[in-house]
Amino acid sequence: MRLLLFLGLVVLVSSCNNSSSTNKIIDDCDSIIITFNAPNSDSIIKVVSTSESKAIKKLGGFLNGKETEQFKCGYDGNFIFYKNGKQLLPVIFKYTEQGCEHFLFDMGDNVKSMAMTSEAKNFFTSLMEGKDWY
């Protein structure tokens, strides 16, 4: 019994110390560009960029949510994590349609679709309205 408890504790501690691939990319990132599209279009209506680490970490944290299905309801825009001008991770998102809020990105050979939290939805709504607080 003690052996099982000890092994469980070792697994728990080691899993907490291992960052996900997404976290490693975000930790290396030095800037981000967010692009908002016109509804049902690829036309760009707003671009927001920042090199503020607080904003980058906040946005990156949204990608560590619950995995969900890959919705087929279009996208409201995208954001790209950069380091020294080199693209690290592009992410597309949908936040304006209830029941369809999510992020979609490619992690190696695996396309991930992550559910968007209400905090993330409010974040994008605020940016779209011109607020620049994070």
Side-chain angles (χ1 to χ4, degrees), residues 26-82:
I26 293 160
D27 288 344
D28 286 344
C29 176
D30 60 19
S31 62
I32 196 165
I33 296 175
I34 305 169
T35 304
F36 292 91
N37 297 342
N40 303 315
S41 167
D42 288 334
S43 298
I44 296 171
I45 56 173
K46 184 171 188 143
V47 176
V48 178
S49 65
T50 187
S51 58
E52 189 176 323
S53 62
K54 182 179 176 183
I56 293 167
K57 289 189 185 309
K58 184 174 197 87
L59 200 51
F62 293 148
L63 301 180
N64 292 323
K66 181 179 138 192
E67 202 155 343
T68 188
E69 68 181 279
Q70 293 181 22
F71 297 105
K72 308 261 189 233
C73 42
Y75 294 94
D76 296 319
N78 67 71
F79 54 95
I80 303 173
F81 293 95
Y82 289 92

